[in-house]
Amino acid sequence: MSGGARAVARCDALGVAPYSDMEGGLYRGYLNPSYTAAQDALAGWMAQAGMAVYRDAAANLIGRYDGTQPGAPALLIGSHLDSVRDGGRYDGPLGIMLGLEAVAALHQSGKRLPFPIEVIAFGDEEGSRFPAAMLTSRAVAGTLAPEALDIADADGVSLSQAGVSLSDYLSAARGPGTTLAYLEAHIEQGPVLEADGLAVGTVTGIAAQLRYQAVIKGMAGHAGTSSMPLRRDAVAGAAEMILAIEKIARADASDLVATVGRIEALPGAPNVIAGEVRFTIDIRSGEEARRDRAAEAILDALASIANHRDLNYAIQRVHDLPASPCDPALMDLMDAATADAGYPIRRLVSGAGHDAMVMAALCPTAMLFIRCKHGISHNPAEHVDPADADVALQVMLGFIDRLGATFDPA
Ligand SMILES: [Zn+2]
């Protein structure tokens, strides 16, 4: 079996009990019994691949493959082991399994790099059990505040009751200068690579994101007795606004995306004209300036529609995440490794968040996206072709090789 096929098969193996806490599907919450079982399986595979295995204070599992130069900073390769409820088998684990396969290939050929390689399986990226996302990569990157640990799951079980020591937790942080780079392979979770007929792509960074909460107020009224010209219908106004948002995003033929994902009409009765509508707006782009220009155009359009329809409105910015660019020099290495392997170079932005965006606070980061069928993710239908995983593995090995060649211990 090829390394890529084995990586995919291992993700499949972890997709069922005892590695899932859900009947007939995959749910693996951080620190759940399924999580511990998956760590145990992974630890065995890491040891087989020639790694020394340990668990850090944030309950991340790490396999270490030593380098030739003592004290050299480590290349970290990883992704997350946790999974959303009824999720797919590859979102997260595939990046870990491919890191593992990269080391297995080096080990088998007796090759060591000047620097150590550590394959890290992050415990929480998805907020799979506790109301906090990327808890464990934030612990490793050293960006986690102690207050962030004061959380409990839906059953009221605190983080410490779930089996980690809160006083030790932040010691999972890696010191500055200890980490050479962070490499994460991940399924694209979108349709771009598939549309272009490509197995892999170099990620340029994680998109900048803005989120707004809009409240539109008109006048509630009787659906039977209020004549059309006199209405101040908040739903009809919101509908026009939502179409305007879509039109603005579509007109920008770049990586810009805008979404109204939640809408609520009040009072919400079939025989009442809605007096109030609330909806969310999510705007993302790899470039902050582009995102902000679109946001401005959207806010202008909403103001003009509200004015025209005599509606009152309030729009609150609830979320502003800056872009997290990947390291330009590492992107070049990834492109070169892709070309070496005989595949076309494609760069694309990640619209979704990943551990890499957190790790960027600690060290330069690189990400490789892998095609997934129809772009489907967070869904049991998530699918990756083992041949694509093999391409990713080949590119990752080329990347590691080139990183070794450029490594300057001074
Ligand atoms: Zn993921």
Side-chain angles (χ1 to χ4, degrees):
M1 192 185 279
S2 70
R6 188 162 56 176
V8 169
R10 283 175 171 169
C11 293
D12 290 338
L14 295 188
V16 294
Y19 313 111
S20 167
D21 286 317
M22 187 187 141
E23 215 35 68
L26 173 59
Y27 166 54
R28 189 162 48 242
Y30 176 47
L31 303 177
N32 276 352
S34 60
Y35 176 75
T36 312
Q39 277 196 330
D40 289 347
L42 185 57
W45 297 331
M46 284 174 162
Q48 273 174 34
M51 289 182 263
V53 185
Y54 66 101
R55 231 167 94 121
D56 73 8
N60 297 307
L61 192 76
I62 298 152
R64 184 180 167 93
Y65 185 68
D66 279 325
T68 55
Q69 290 190 15
L75 166 64
L76 278 181
I77 308 177
S79 195
H80 58 98
L81 193 58
D82 69 331
S83 168
V84 295
R85 256 168 230 281
D86 210 15
R89 294 171 169 181
Y90 313 102
D91 172 7
L94 186 60
I96 302 165
M97 300 311 160
L98 286 171
L100 199 160
E101 289 299 333
V103 171
L106 293 170
H107 180 61
Q108 201 173 18
S109 57
K111 190 170 174 187
R112 287 193 188 267
L113 279 297
F115 44 80
I117 298 176
E118 296 201 9
V119 175
I120 183 160
F122 287 115
D124 168 73
E125 191 267 352
E126 303 278 12
S128 47
R129 176 168 169 189
F130 296 91
M134 307 199 192
L135 198 63
T136 54
S137 47
R138 283 190 284 153
V140 169
T143 56
L144 198 58
E147 308 87 78
L149 300 175
D150 185 18
I151 46 178
D153 69 11
D155 296 324
V157 179
S158 72
L159 201 53
S160 64
Q161 286 165 334
V164 288
S165 158
L166 295 196
S167 54
D168 289 348
Y169 204 89
L170 299 185
S171 71
R174 292 179 181 239
T178 60
T179 310
L180 180 63
Y182 173 71
L183 166 63
E184 179 166 2
H186 201 285
I187 58 167
E188 184 202 335
Q189 303 179 284
V192 173
L193 292 173
E194 188 177 67
D196 286 359
L198 299 172
V200 296
T202 302
V203 179
T204 55
I206 316 286
Q209 187 184 352
L210 276 177
R211 195 171 297 162
Y212 295 91
Q213 176 69 48
V215 179
I216 313 300
K217 285 189 177 165
M219 173 85 88
H222 195 293
T225 60
S226 311
S227 71
M228 295 309 288
L230 297 177
R231 293 186 181 198
R232 293 170 61 219
D233 185 334
V235 162
E240 196 177 338
M241 291 174 181
I242 292 165
L243 288 176
I245 293 166
E246 185 191 43
K247 192 172 168 192
I248 289 165
R250 278 193 177 203
D252 187 316
S254 69
D255 63 359
L256 182 88
V257 288
T259 307
V260 174
R262 197 173 67 204
I263 177 164
E264 191 185 0
L266 300 171
N271 59 350
V272 181
I273 301 160
E276 182 173 328
V277 170
R278 299 175 187 171
F279 61 87
T280 55
I281 312 167
D282 180 301
I283 308 168
R284 306 186 196 200
S285 166
E287 276 177 62
E288 264 158 61
R290 184 181 290 279
R291 174 201 68 170
D292 294 346
R293 275 199 305 276
E296 208 171 305
I298 285 171
L299 295 183
D300 284 352
L302 268 47
S304 131
I305 293 165
N307 187 35
H308 182 67
R309 288 177 164 269
D310 194 19
L311 300 168
N312 296 320
Y313 73 103
I315 297 174
Q316 195 193 352
R317 179 183 290 199
V318 290
H319 202 52
D320 180 353
L321 267 184
S324 172
C326 290
D327 184 77
L330 295 184
M331 280 193 268
D332 288 345
L333 290 190
M334 194 74 86
D335 286 350
T338 304
D340 282 353
Y343 299 97
I345 293 167
R346 175 71 156 91
R347 290 190 171 192
L348 70 169
V349 72
S350 173
H354 293 290
D355 289 303
M357 68 194 265
V358 170
M359 294 299 282
L362 178 71
C363 62
T365 59
M367 279 196 84
L368 182 69
F369 267 171
I370 304 162
R371 168 168 57 189
C372 61
K373 196 172 180 183
H374 304 328
I376 295 169
S377 183
H378 283 192
N379 185 310
E382 200 176 273
H383 179 79
V384 174
D385 188 335
D388 289 354
D390 270 318
V391 174
L393 178 57
Q394 208 182 337
V395 172
M396 288 167 78
L397 281 166
F399 174 92
I400 294 166
D401 201 43
R402 284 175 170 268
L403 191 65
T406 59
F407 180 68
D408 177 3

